[in-house]
Amino acid sequence: MNYKNLGNSGIKVSSLCLGTMTFGDGADAAMSKKIYQTSRDRGVNFFDCANVYAKGESERILGKLIYEHRDEVVITTKAYYPTGNTVNDRGLSRHHLTKELNKSLKRLNTDYIDLYYMHCFDTETPLEESLSTLNDFVKQGKIHYIGLSNFAAWQVMKAISIVEKSNYEPITCIQPMYSLLKRQCESELLPMAYSEKLGVTSYSPLGGGLLTGKYHNSNVDGRFKTSEMYQKRYDDEVTNKTVDRFIKFAMANDYDPVSLAIAWVSANQTITAPIIGARTVAQLEPALNSLTIEMTKELRDEISGFSLTPTLATDRKEEQLST
Ligand SMILES: NC(=O)c1ccc[n+]([C@@H]2O[C@H](COP(=O)([O-])OP(=O)(O)OC[C@H]3O[C@@H](n4cnc5c(N)ncnc54)[C@H](OP(=O)(O)O)[C@@H]3O)[C@@H](O)[C@H]2O)c1
């Protein structure tokens, strides 16, 4: 396992991060323990969570798993999405962030979160209020680093400009979606992250499971059988074509598609660690094996050719932004 500095910070994280969204939702406590232990045995020290995963159960399960060796692991959690029915049970207000961080600390059974994310941009709360709240959390020792997930590049830059002007703790990391099927972050977010020396832990490297190729078989079970959100997110002709081409290529060249798809994400120089997700140890193994694939430039370019290169942040096509 390789370890990298998380953005411009001193903390070192494994080049794969284990997502825990399945803990308590697909994987029960016993299976979550096996998934966690297998990852640890292979050198993973970086675990991603959120307050809303399995309605708090993912944090509870992860909290029990890390308790004996808390200082050996780097854990994240997040807040933004609704946790109740009142108007203030959501968003990035001082009220909601404070309440949710304290609940996360309790469920995770810890005094501190290594990396605390705002899970999404909040159009109804001044960003200054959210960032001053997170700055206070760092000062109180409750969180160590600040991250932003699902923010557009201009929103990240707005946050950076506020923390610099106000002398708040810096933004250390972003968490966008990124896979062969979802490449929008290549046009602005990744070049921005590279330029600002931000860590990037990207999620859904398998397109929620589509890049496993398993949905070619209609009897298989998986997220796309039950989740309307995922069906909508990936429901288009281009995606289907990309999956077909990718799976044919993987099979013809003797690659496990799971390993290949994750290695393709890792090979982007701006990515610190893709966040892998699994519901069983059998699903996890090929994800961990992605580290053994030698992703040459030629191989990466060939695979990139199976999907659409995203529109650049300029209409001057000849002036490519480098990532
Ligand atoms: N910041 C955010 O907004 C955000 C959003 C989503 C996720 N995340 C984070 O990123 C992590 C990973 O996201 P993700 O789960 O969407 O990643 P993903 O890698 O795109 O999908 C993982 C899913 O693919 C299926 N799968 C994985 N390996 C497989 C295998 N070998 N064979 C068959 N199916 C396999 C499993 O789902 P099924 O068994 O259900 O098919 C598994 O849960 C999450 O745990 C979470 O920590 C963050």
Side-chain angles (χ1 to χ4, degrees):
M1 179 63 73
N2 289 324
Y3 298 90
K4 303 176 185 173
N5 284 64
L6 182 66
N8 213 12
S9 80
I11 193 87
K12 295 208 189 281
V13 294
S14 47
S15 54
L16 288 176
C17 176
L18 179 73
T20 63
M21 193 169 75
T22 53
F23 289 12
D25 185 9
D28 62 14
M31 180 54 74
S32 304
K33 186 174 180 179
K34 286 186 192 155
I35 292 170
Y36 176 82
Q37 197 50 54
T38 306
S39 310
R40 285 259 298 158
D41 291 347
R42 300 279 284 274
V44 173
N45 75 343
F46 193 17
F47 298 91
D48 184 68
C49 203
N51 63 338
V52 288
Y53 294 166
K55 297 197 171 94
E57 191 55 18
S58 306
E59 286 185 331
R60 262 182 230 106
I61 293 175
L62 184 61
K64 289 201 180 97
L65 295 171
I66 61 175
Y67 186 68
E68 300 276 313
H69 48 259
R70 171 65 188 95
D71 61 349
E72 293 177 19
V73 292
V74 177
I75 61 162
T76 87
T77 196
K78 320 181 185 81
Y80 166 80
Y81 288 105
T83 51
N85 294 325
T86 79
V87 283
N88 284 313
D89 286 336
R90 64 199 64 214
L92 300 176
S93 66
R94 181 170 282 270
H95 171 91
H96 186 62
L97 287 173
T98 303
K99 193 167 79 167
E100 287 307 310
L101 174 64
N102 288 328
K103 285 191 331 199
S104 289
L105 287 169
K106 233 183 221 161
R107 288 190 292 251
L108 282 160
N109 214 3
T110 184
D111 299 333
Y112 68 97
I113 308 296
D114 297 276
L115 173 61
Y116 196 62
Y117 285 105
M118 299 202 265
H119 207 154
C120 192
F121 187 75
D122 182 352
T123 54
E124 295 176 11
T125 301
L127 197 46
E128 164 76 38
E129 174 178 333
S130 315
L131 289 165
S132 96
T133 305
L134 295 188
N135 184 60
D136 290 346
F137 292 167
V138 178
K139 301 283 180 233
Q140 294 157 7
K142 291 181 171 182
I143 70 172
H144 288 176
Y145 300 107
I146 298 169
L148 309 174
S149 182
N150 299 312
F151 275 47
W154 69 265
Q155 293 163 342
V156 178
M157 288 312 301
K158 186 170 172 174
I160 289 176
S161 113
I162 292 171
V163 298
E164 286 182 353
K165 189 181 69 186
S166 307
N167 213 14
Y168 291 160
E169 291 295 321
I171 307 300
T172 295
C173 188
I174 60 168
Q175 187 176 133
M177 186 189 299
Y178 187 42
S179 71
L180 185 63
L181 303 177
K182 295 287 186 189
R183 296 176 56 188
Q184 207 216 45
C185 65
E186 286 178 18
S187 47
E188 290 219 67
L189 264 174
L190 296 187
M192 182 262 330
Y194 183 75
S195 156
E196 298 300 316
K197 298 188 174 59
L198 297 174
V200 184
T201 62
S202 56
Y203 68 85
S204 293
L206 300 176
L210 284 180
L211 288 170
T212 63
K214 67 179 176 178
Y215 293 101
H216 282 103
N217 170 2
S218 57
N219 293 325
V220 84
D221 66 340
R223 193 181 298 179
F224 283 81
K225 296 280 171 168
T226 50
S227 166
E228 210 174 301
M229 182 182 84
Y230 277 90
Q231 289 162 5
K232 275 194 186 147
R233 188 177 288 173
Y234 291 93
D235 180 25
D236 61 74
E237 224 11 65
V238 179
T239 296
N240 294 339
K241 272 198 185 135
T242 301
V243 173
D244 281 349
R245 287 180 188 152
F246 174 75
I247 296 300
K248 274 190 195 124
F249 175 84
M251 292 306 169
N253 292 281
D254 238 5
Y255 287 110
D256 185 308
V258 171
S259 311
L260 193 63
I262 295 169
W264 180 88
V265 172
S266 295
N268 184 306
Q269 62 167 338
T270 313
I271 300 294
T272 311
I275 310 176
I276 55 176
R279 174 158 72 79
T280 63
V281 174
Q283 284 189 348
L284 178 69
E285 284 292 346
L288 294 170
N289 291 341
S290 65
L291 296 171
T292 63
I293 290 188
E294 197 195 339
M295 182 62 63
T296 60
K297 182 177 179 321
E298 291 69 35
L299 180 57
R300 193 171 199 279
D301 287 349
E302 187 162 6
I303 296 170
S304 302
F306 301 148
S307 65
L308 285 182
T309 302
T311 312
L312 300 172
T314 169
D315 280 333
R316 294 165 68 89
K317 267 189 155 184
E318 69 284 8
E319 292 174 8
Q320 301 268 330
L321 288 172
S322 62
T323 54

Coordinates of all heavy atoms in Angstrom, one line a residue, residues 17-23 25-26 47-50 53 76 78 81 117-120 148-150 175-179 201-215 220-226 229-230 233-234 256-259 261-262 274-287, ligand 1:
C17 N -9.2 4.5 -0.1 CA -10.0 4.8 1.1 C -11.2 3.8 1.1 O -11.8 3.6 0.1 CB -10.5 6.3 1.0 SG -11.6 6.8 2.4
L18 N -11.5 3.3 2.3 CA -12.7 2.4 2.3 C -14.0 3.2 2.7 O -14.0 3.8 3.8 CB -12.5 1.2 3.3 CG -13.7 0.3 3.4 CD1 -13.8 -0.6 2.2 CD2 -13.7 -0.6 4.7
G19 N -14.9 3.1 1.8 CA -16.2 3.8 2.1 C -17.0 2.9 3.0 O -17.0 1.6 2.8
T20 N -17.8 3.4 3.9 CA -18.5 2.6 4.9 C -20.0 2.8 4.7 O -20.8 2.5 5.7 CB -18.1 2.9 6.3 OG1 -18.4 4.3 6.6 CG2 -16.6 2.7 6.5
M21 N -20.5 3.3 3.6 CA -21.9 3.5 3.3 C -22.7 2.2 3.4 O -23.9 2.2 3.7 CB -22.0 4.1 1.9 CG -23.3 4.7 1.6 SD -23.2 5.7 0.1 CE -23.1 4.4 -1.2
T22 N -22.0 1.1 3.2 CA -22.7 -0.2 3.2 C -22.8 -0.8 4.6 O -23.5 -1.7 4.9 CB -22.0 -1.3 2.4 OG1 -20.6 -1.3 2.8 CG2 -22.1 -1.0 0.9
F23 N -22.0 -0.2 5.6 CA -22.1 -0.7 6.9 C -23.4 -0.4 7.5 O -23.8 0.7 7.7 CB -21.0 0.0 7.8 CG -19.5 -0.4 7.5 CD1 -19.2 -1.2 6.4 CD2 -18.5 -0.1 8.4 CE1 -17.9 -1.6 6.1 CE2 -17.2 -0.5 8.1 CZ -16.9 -1.2 7.0
D25 N -26.1 -1.2 6.0 CA -27.0 -1.0 4.9 C -26.5 -1.9 3.8 O -25.9 -1.5 2.9 CB -27.1 0.4 4.5 CG -28.2 0.6 3.4 OD1 -28.9 -0.3 3.1 OD2 -28.2 1.7 2.8
G26 N -26.8 -3.2 3.9 CA -26.2 -4.2 2.9 C -25.3 -5.1 3.6 O -25.3 -6.3 3.4
F47 N -10.8 5.7 6.2 CA -12.2 5.2 6.2 C -13.2 6.4 6.1 O -13.1 7.3 6.9 CB -12.5 4.4 7.5 CG -11.6 3.2 7.5 CD1 -10.3 3.3 8.2 CD2 -11.9 2.0 6.9 CE1 -9.4 2.2 8.2 CE2 -11.0 0.9 6.9 CZ -9.8 1.0 7.6
D48 N -14.1 6.3 5.1 CA -15.0 7.4 4.8 C -16.4 7.1 5.4 O -16.9 6.0 5.1 CB -15.1 7.6 3.3 CG -16.0 8.8 3.0 OD1 -15.6 9.9 3.3 OD2 -17.1 8.6 2.4
C49 N -17.0 8.1 6.0 CA -18.3 7.8 6.6 C -19.2 9.1 6.4 O -18.7 10.1 5.9 CB -18.2 7.4 8.1 SG -19.7 6.5 8.7
A50 N -20.4 9.1 6.8 CA -21.3 10.3 6.9 C -22.4 10.1 7.9 O -22.7 8.9 8.2 CB -21.9 10.5 5.5
Y53 N -25.4 7.9 6.6 CA -25.3 6.6 6.1 C -26.1 5.6 7.1 O -25.7 5.6 8.3 CB -23.9 6.1 5.9 CG -23.1 6.9 4.8 CD1 -21.8 6.8 4.7 CD2 -23.8 7.6 3.9 CE1 -21.1 7.4 3.7 CE2 -23.1 8.3 2.9 CZ -21.8 8.2 2.8 OH -21.1 8.9 1.8
T76 N -13.3 9.9 8.4 CA -14.1 11.1 7.9 C -15.5 10.9 8.3 O -16.0 9.8 8.4 CB -14.0 11.3 6.4 OG1 -15.1 10.6 5.8 CG2 -12.7 10.9 5.8
K78 N -19.5 13.4 7.6 CA -20.0 14.5 6.9 C -21.3 15.0 7.5 O -22.0 14.2 8.2 CB -20.2 14.2 5.4 CG -19.2 13.3 4.8 CD -19.5 13.0 3.3 CE -18.6 12.0 2.7 NZ -18.8 10.6 3.0
Y81 N -27.1 16.7 4.8 CA -28.4 16.1 4.4 C -29.4 16.0 5.6 O -28.9 15.9 6.8 CB -28.2 14.8 3.7 CG -27.6 15.0 2.4 CD1 -26.3 14.7 2.1 CD2 -28.4 15.5 1.3 CE1 -25.8 14.9 0.8 CE2 -27.9 15.8 0.1 CZ -26.6 15.5 -0.2 OH -26.0 15.7 -1.4
Y117 N -16.3 16.7 6.5 CA -16.8 17.3 5.3 C -18.1 18.0 5.4 O -19.1 17.5 6.1 CB -17.1 16.2 4.3 CG -15.9 15.5 3.6 CD1 -15.5 14.2 4.0 CD2 -15.2 16.1 2.6 CE1 -14.5 13.6 3.4 CE2 -14.2 15.5 1.9 CZ -13.8 14.2 2.3 OH -12.8 13.5 1.7
M118 N -18.3 19.1 4.7 CA -19.6 19.6 4.3 C -20.0 18.7 3.1 O -19.3 18.7 2.1 CB -19.6 21.1 4.0 CG -19.0 21.9 5.2 SD -19.5 23.6 5.1 CE -18.1 24.3 4.3
H119 N -21.2 18.0 3.3 CA -21.5 17.0 2.3 C -22.0 17.5 1.0 O -22.0 16.8 0.0 CB -22.6 16.1 3.0 CG -22.7 14.7 2.5 ND1 -23.2 13.7 3.3 CD2 -22.3 14.1 1.3 CE1 -23.1 12.5 2.6 NE2 -22.6 12.8 1.4
C120 N -22.5 18.8 1.0 CA -23.0 19.4 -0.2 C -23.0 20.9 0.0 O -23.1 21.4 1.2 CB -24.4 18.9 -0.4 SG -25.1 19.3 -2.0
L148 N -14.7 19.4 1.6 CA -15.9 19.8 0.9 C -16.3 18.7 -0.1 O -15.5 18.3 -0.9 CB -15.7 21.1 0.1 CG -15.0 22.3 0.9 CD1 -14.7 23.4 0.0 CD2 -16.0 22.7 2.0
S149 N -17.5 18.3 0.0 CA -18.0 17.2 -0.9 C -19.1 17.7 -1.8 O -20.0 18.5 -1.3 CB -18.5 16.0 -0.2 OG -18.8 15.0 -1.1
N150 N -19.1 17.3 -3.1 CA -20.1 17.7 -4.0 C -20.2 19.3 -4.2 O -21.3 19.8 -4.5 CB -21.5 17.2 -3.6 CG -21.5 15.7 -3.5 OD1 -21.1 15.0 -4.5 ND2 -22.0 15.1 -2.4
Q175 N -14.3 16.0 -2.1 CA -14.8 14.7 -2.4 C -15.8 14.7 -3.5 O -17.0 14.9 -3.3 CB -15.4 14.0 -1.2 CG -15.7 12.6 -1.4 CD -16.2 11.8 -0.2 OE1 -17.2 11.1 -0.3 NE2 -15.6 11.9 0.9
P176 N -15.4 14.7 -4.8 CA -16.3 14.6 -5.9 C -16.6 13.2 -6.3 O -15.9 12.3 -6.0 CB -15.6 15.3 -7.0 CG -14.1 15.0 -6.7 CD -14.0 14.7 -5.2
M177 N -17.6 13.0 -7.2 CA -17.9 11.7 -7.8 C -16.9 11.6 -9.0 O -16.6 12.6 -9.7 CB -19.3 11.8 -8.4 CG -19.8 10.5 -8.9 SD -21.4 10.7 -9.8 CE -22.5 11.2 -8.5
Y178 N -16.4 10.4 -9.2 CA -15.4 10.3 -10.4 C -15.3 8.8 -10.8 O -14.9 8.0 -9.9 CB -14.1 10.9 -10.0 CG -13.1 10.9 -11.2 CD1 -13.5 11.3 -12.5 CD2 -11.8 10.5 -11.0 CE1 -12.6 11.3 -13.6 CE2 -10.9 10.6 -12.1 CZ -11.3 11.0 -13.4 OH -10.5 11.0 -14.4
S179 N -15.6 8.6 -12.0 CA -15.4 7.2 -12.6 C -15.4 7.4 -14.1 O -15.6 8.5 -14.6 CB -16.6 6.3 -12.2 OG -17.8 6.7 -12.9
T201 N -10.4 12.8 -2.6 CA -10.9 11.4 -2.4 C -12.2 11.3 -3.1 O -13.2 11.9 -2.7 CB -11.0 11.1 -0.9 OG1 -12.0 12.0 -0.4 CG2 -9.8 11.4 -0.1
S202 N -12.2 10.7 -4.3 CA -13.3 10.6 -5.1 C -14.2 9.4 -4.8 O -13.7 8.4 -4.5 CB -12.9 10.7 -6.6 OG -12.0 9.6 -6.8
Y203 N -15.5 9.5 -5.1 CA -16.4 8.4 -4.7 C -17.0 7.8 -6.0 O -17.0 8.3 -7.1 CB -17.4 8.8 -3.7 CG -18.5 9.8 -4.2 CD1 -19.6 9.4 -4.8 CD2 -18.4 11.2 -3.9 CE1 -20.6 10.3 -5.2 CE2 -19.3 12.1 -4.3 CZ -20.5 11.7 -4.9 OH -21.4 12.6 -5.3
S204 N -17.6 6.6 -5.8 CA -18.3 5.8 -6.8 C -17.4 5.5 -8.0 O -17.8 5.8 -9.2 CB -19.6 6.6 -7.3 OG -20.6 6.6 -6.3
P205 N -16.2 4.9 -7.7 CA -15.3 4.6 -8.8 C -15.9 3.5 -9.8 O -15.5 3.4 -10.9 CB -14.1 4.1 -8.1 CG -14.5 3.6 -6.8 CD -15.7 4.5 -6.4
L206 N -16.9 2.8 -9.3 CA -17.5 1.7 -10.1 C -18.9 2.2 -10.7 O -19.7 1.4 -11.2 CB -17.7 0.4 -9.3 CG -16.5 -0.2 -8.7 CD1 -16.8 -1.4 -7.9 CD2 -15.5 -0.6 -9.9
G207 N -19.1 3.5 -10.6 CA -20.4 4.0 -11.1 C -21.5 3.3 -10.3 O -22.5 2.9 -10.9
G208 N -21.3 3.1 -9.0 CA -22.3 2.5 -8.1 C -22.4 1.0 -8.4 O -23.3 0.3 -7.8
G209 N -21.6 0.4 -9.2 CA -21.6 -1.0 -9.5 C -21.7 -1.4 -10.9 O -21.5 -2.5 -11.4
L210 N -22.1 -0.3 -11.7 CA -22.3 -0.6 -13.2 C -21.1 -1.1 -13.9 O -21.1 -2.0 -14.7 CB -22.8 0.7 -13.9 CG -24.2 1.1 -13.7 CD1 -24.4 2.4 -14.5 CD2 -25.2 0.1 -14.1
L211 N -19.9 -0.6 -13.4 CA -18.7 -1.0 -14.1 C -18.2 -2.4 -13.7 O -17.1 -2.8 -14.1 CB -17.6 0.1 -13.9 CG -17.8 1.4 -14.6 CD1 -16.9 2.5 -14.2 CD2 -17.7 1.2 -16.1
T212 N -18.9 -3.1 -12.8 CA -18.6 -4.5 -12.6 C -19.1 -5.3 -13.7 O -18.6 -6.4 -13.9 CB -19.3 -5.0 -11.3 OG1 -20.7 -4.9 -11.5 CG2 -19.0 -4.2 -10.1
G213 N -20.0 -4.8 -14.5 CA -20.6 -5.5 -15.6 C -21.7 -6.5 -15.2 O -22.3 -7.2 -16.0
K214 N -22.0 -6.5 -13.9 CA -22.9 -7.5 -13.4 C -24.3 -7.3 -13.9 O -25.1 -8.3 -13.9 CB -22.8 -7.6 -11.9 CG -23.4 -6.4 -11.1 CD -23.3 -6.7 -9.6 CE -23.7 -5.6 -8.8 NZ -23.6 -5.9 -7.4
Y215 N -24.7 -6.1 -14.3 CA -26.1 -5.9 -14.7 C -26.3 -6.4 -16.1 O -27.5 -6.3 -16.6 CB -26.4 -4.4 -14.5 CG -26.4 -4.0 -13.0 CD1 -25.4 -3.3 -12.5 CD2 -27.5 -4.4 -12.2 CE1 -25.4 -3.0 -11.1 CE2 -27.5 -4.1 -10.9 CZ -26.5 -3.4 -10.3 OH -26.5 -3.1 -9.0
V220 N -29.0 -10.8 -11.3 CA -28.0 -10.4 -10.3 C -28.7 -9.4 -9.3 O -29.7 -8.8 -9.7 CB -26.8 -9.8 -10.9 CG1 -27.0 -8.3 -11.2 CG2 -25.6 -10.0 -10.1
D221 N -28.3 -9.4 -8.0 CA -28.8 -8.3 -7.2 C -27.8 -7.2 -7.0 O -26.6 -7.4 -7.2 CB -29.3 -8.9 -5.8 CG -28.1 -9.4 -5.0 OD1 -27.1 -9.7 -5.6 OD2 -28.2 -9.6 -3.8
G222 N -28.3 -6.0 -6.7 CA -27.4 -4.9 -6.6 C -28.3 -3.6 -6.5 O -29.5 -3.6 -6.6
R223 N -27.6 -2.5 -6.2 CA -28.2 -1.2 -6.0 C -29.1 -0.8 -7.1 O -30.2 -0.2 -6.8 CB -27.0 -0.3 -5.8 CG -27.3 1.1 -5.3 CD -26.0 1.9 -5.3 NE -25.0 1.4 -4.4 CZ -23.8 2.0 -4.3 NH1 -23.5 3.1 -4.9 NH2 -22.9 1.4 -3.5
F224 N -28.8 -1.1 -8.3 CA -29.6 -0.6 -9.4 C -30.9 -1.3 -9.6 O -31.8 -0.8 -10.3 CB -28.8 -0.6 -10.7 CG -27.8 0.5 -10.8 CD1 -26.6 0.4 -10.2 CD2 -28.1 1.7 -11.5 CE1 -25.6 1.4 -10.2 CE2 -27.2 2.7 -11.5 CZ -25.9 2.6 -10.9
K225 N -31.1 -2.4 -8.8 CA -32.3 -3.1 -8.9 C -33.4 -2.4 -8.0 O -34.6 -2.5 -8.2 CB -32.2 -4.5 -8.3 CG -31.3 -5.4 -9.2 CD -32.1 -5.9 -10.4 CE -31.1 -6.5 -11.4 NZ -31.8 -7.3 -12.4
T226 N -32.9 -1.7 -7.0 CA -33.8 -1.1 -6.0 C -33.8 0.4 -5.9 O -34.8 1.0 -5.4 CB -33.4 -1.7 -4.6 OG1 -32.0 -1.5 -4.4 CG2 -33.8 -3.2 -4.5
M229 N -32.8 6.5 -7.3 CA -31.8 7.6 -7.4 C -30.6 7.2 -8.3 O -30.2 7.9 -9.2 CB -31.3 7.9 -6.0 CG -30.3 9.0 -6.0 SD -29.6 9.4 -4.3 CE -28.3 8.2 -4.2
Y230 N -30.1 5.9 -8.1 CA -29.0 5.5 -8.9 C -29.5 5.2 -10.4 O -28.8 5.5 -11.3 CB -28.4 4.2 -8.3 CG -27.4 4.6 -7.2 CD1 -27.8 4.8 -5.9 CD2 -26.1 4.9 -7.6 CE1 -26.9 5.2 -4.9 CE2 -25.2 5.4 -6.6 CZ -25.6 5.5 -5.3 OH -24.7 6.0 -4.4
R233 N -29.6 8.5 -12.0 CA -28.2 9.1 -12.2 C -27.5 8.6 -13.4 O -26.7 9.3 -14.0 CB -27.4 8.9 -10.9 CG -26.2 9.6 -10.8 CD -25.4 9.4 -9.5 NE -26.1 10.0 -8.4 CZ -25.7 9.9 -7.1 NH1 -24.7 9.1 -6.8 NH2 -26.3 10.5 -6.1
Y234 N -27.7 7.3 -13.7 CA -26.9 6.7 -14.7 C -27.7 6.3 -16.0 O -27.2 5.6 -16.8 CB -26.1 5.5 -14.2 CG -25.1 5.8 -13.2 CD1 -25.3 5.9 -11.8 CD2 -23.8 6.1 -13.6 CE1 -24.3 6.2 -10.9 CE2 -22.8 6.4 -12.7 CZ -23.0 6.5 -11.3 OH -22.1 6.8 -10.4
D256 N -9.9 -8.1 -14.3 CA -11.1 -8.0 -13.5 C -11.6 -6.5 -13.7 O -10.9 -5.6 -13.4 CB -10.8 -8.3 -12.0 CG -12.1 -8.3 -11.2 OD1 -12.9 -7.3 -11.3 OD2 -12.3 -9.3 -10.5
P257 N -12.9 -6.4 -14.2 CA -13.3 -5.0 -14.4 C -13.3 -4.1 -13.2 O -13.1 -2.9 -13.3 CB -14.8 -5.2 -14.9 CG -15.1 -6.6 -14.8 CD -13.8 -7.4 -14.5
V258 N -13.6 -4.7 -12.0 CA -13.6 -3.9 -10.8 C -12.2 -3.3 -10.5 O -12.0 -2.1 -10.3 CB -14.0 -4.7 -9.6 CG1 -13.8 -4.0 -8.3 CG2 -15.5 -5.2 -9.8
S259 N -11.2 -4.2 -10.6 CA -9.8 -3.7 -10.4 C -9.4 -2.6 -11.5 O -8.8 -1.6 -11.1 CB -8.8 -4.8 -10.5 OG -9.2 -5.9 -9.8
A261 N -11.4 -0.6 -13.3 CA -12.1 0.6 -13.2 C -11.5 1.5 -12.1 O -11.4 2.7 -12.2 CB -13.6 0.4 -13.0
I262 N -11.2 0.9 -11.0 CA -10.6 1.6 -9.8 C -9.2 2.1 -10.2 O -8.8 3.2 -9.9 CB -10.7 0.8 -8.5 CG1 -12.2 0.6 -8.2 CG2 -10.0 1.5 -7.4 CD1 -12.4 -0.4 -7.1
P274 N -9.2 6.9 -4.4 CA -10.6 6.6 -4.7 C -11.2 6.0 -3.4 O -10.5 5.3 -2.7 CB -10.6 5.6 -5.8 CG -9.1 5.4 -6.2 CD -8.3 6.0 -5.1
I275 N -12.5 6.2 -3.2 CA -13.2 5.6 -2.1 C -13.9 4.4 -2.6 O -14.8 4.5 -3.5 CB -14.2 6.6 -1.5 CG1 -13.6 7.9 -1.2 CG2 -14.8 5.9 -0.2 CD1 -14.6 9.0 -0.6
I276 N -13.5 3.2 -2.2 CA -14.0 2.0 -2.7 C -15.2 1.6 -1.8 O -15.2 1.9 -0.6 CB -13.0 0.9 -2.8 CG1 -12.3 0.6 -1.4 CG2 -12.0 1.2 -3.9 CD1 -11.3 -0.5 -1.4
G277 N -16.1 0.8 -2.3 CA -17.3 0.4 -1.5 C -17.6 -1.1 -1.8 O -17.5 -1.5 -2.9
A278 N -18.0 -1.8 -0.8 CA -18.3 -3.2 -0.9 C -19.3 -3.6 0.1 O -19.4 -3.1 1.2 CB -17.1 -4.1 -0.8
R279 N -20.1 -4.6 -0.2 CA -21.1 -5.2 0.7 C -20.7 -6.5 1.2 O -21.2 -7.0 2.2 CB -22.4 -5.2 -0.2 CG -23.6 -5.8 0.3 CD -24.7 -5.2 -0.6 NE -24.8 -5.7 -2.0 CZ -25.3 -6.8 -2.3 NH1 -25.7 -7.7 -1.4 NH2 -25.4 -7.2 -3.6
T280 N -19.6 -7.1 0.6 CA -19.1 -8.4 1.1 C -17.6 -8.4 0.9 O -17.0 -7.5 0.1 CB -19.6 -9.6 0.2 OG1 -19.1 -9.4 -1.1 CG2 -21.1 -9.7 0.2
V281 N -16.9 -9.3 1.5 CA -15.4 -9.4 1.3 C -15.1 -9.8 -0.1 O -14.1 -9.3 -0.7 CB -14.8 -10.4 2.4 CG1 -13.3 -10.6 2.1 CG2 -15.0 -9.9 3.8
A282 N -15.9 -10.6 -0.7 CA -15.7 -11.1 -2.1 C -15.8 -9.9 -3.0 O -15.0 -9.8 -4.0 CB -16.7 -12.1 -2.5
Q283 N -16.7 -8.9 -2.8 CA -16.7 -7.7 -3.6 C -15.5 -6.8 -3.4 O -15.0 -6.2 -4.3 CB -18.0 -6.9 -3.2 CG -19.3 -7.4 -3.8 CD -20.4 -6.5 -3.6 OE1 -20.3 -5.5 -2.8 NE2 -21.5 -6.7 -4.2
L284 N -15.0 -6.9 -2.1 CA -13.9 -6.0 -1.8 C -12.6 -6.4 -2.4 O -11.8 -5.5 -2.8 CB -13.7 -6.0 -0.2 CG -12.6 -5.1 0.3 CD1 -12.9 -3.6 0.1 CD2 -12.4 -5.4 1.8
E285 N -12.3 -7.7 -2.5 CA -11.0 -8.2 -3.0 C -10.6 -7.6 -4.3 O -9.4 -7.1 -4.3 CB -11.1 -9.7 -3.1 CG -11.0 -10.5 -1.7 CD -9.6 -10.3 -1.0 OE1 -8.7 -9.8 -1.7 OE2 -9.6 -10.6 0.2
P286 N -11.4 -7.6 -5.4 CA -10.9 -7.0 -6.6 C -10.6 -5.5 -6.5 O -9.8 -5.0 -7.2 CB -12.0 -7.4 -7.6 CG -13.2 -7.8 -6.9 CD -12.7 -8.2 -5.5
A287 N -11.4 -4.9 -5.6 CA -11.1 -3.4 -5.4 C -9.7 -3.2 -4.8 O -9.0 -2.4 -5.3 CB -12.2 -2.8 -4.5
Ligands
LIG1 N1 -19.8 12.3 -0.9 C1 -20.9 11.7 -1.4 O1 -21.9 12.3 -1.7 C2 -20.8 10.2 -1.6 C3 -21.8 9.5 -2.4 C4 -21.7 8.1 -2.6 C5 -20.7 7.4 -1.9 N2 -19.7 8.1 -1.2 C6 -18.6 7.3 -0.5 O2 -18.0 6.6 -1.4 C7 -18.0 5.2 -1.1 C8 -18.1 4.3 -2.3 O3 -19.2 4.8 -3.1 P1 -20.0 3.7 -4.0 O4 -20.5 2.6 -3.1 O5 -21.0 4.5 -4.8 O6 -18.8 3.1 -4.9 P2 -18.8 2.2 -6.2 O7 -17.4 1.6 -6.2 O8 -19.2 3.0 -7.4 O9 -19.9 1.1 -5.9 C9 -19.7 0.1 -5.0 C10 -20.8 -0.8 -5.1 O10 -20.7 -1.6 -6.3 C11 -21.1 -3.0 -6.0 N3 -19.8 -3.8 -6.1 C12 -18.6 -3.5 -5.7 N4 -17.7 -4.4 -5.9 C13 -18.4 -5.4 -6.6 C14 -18.0 -6.7 -7.1 N5 -16.8 -7.1 -7.0 N6 -19.0 -7.4 -7.6 C15 -20.3 -6.9 -7.8 N7 -20.7 -5.8 -7.3 C16 -19.8 -5.0 -6.7 C17 -21.6 -3.0 -4.6 O11 -23.0 -2.6 -4.7 P3 -24.2 -3.6 -4.8 O12 -23.8 -4.9 -4.1 O13 -25.3 -2.9 -4.2 O14 -24.4 -3.8 -6.2 C18 -20.9 -1.9 -4.0 O15 -21.5 -1.4 -2.8 C19 -19.2 5.1 -0.1 O16 -19.1 4.0 0.8 C20 -19.2 6.4 0.6 O17 -18.2 6.3 1.6 C21 -19.8 9.4 -1.0

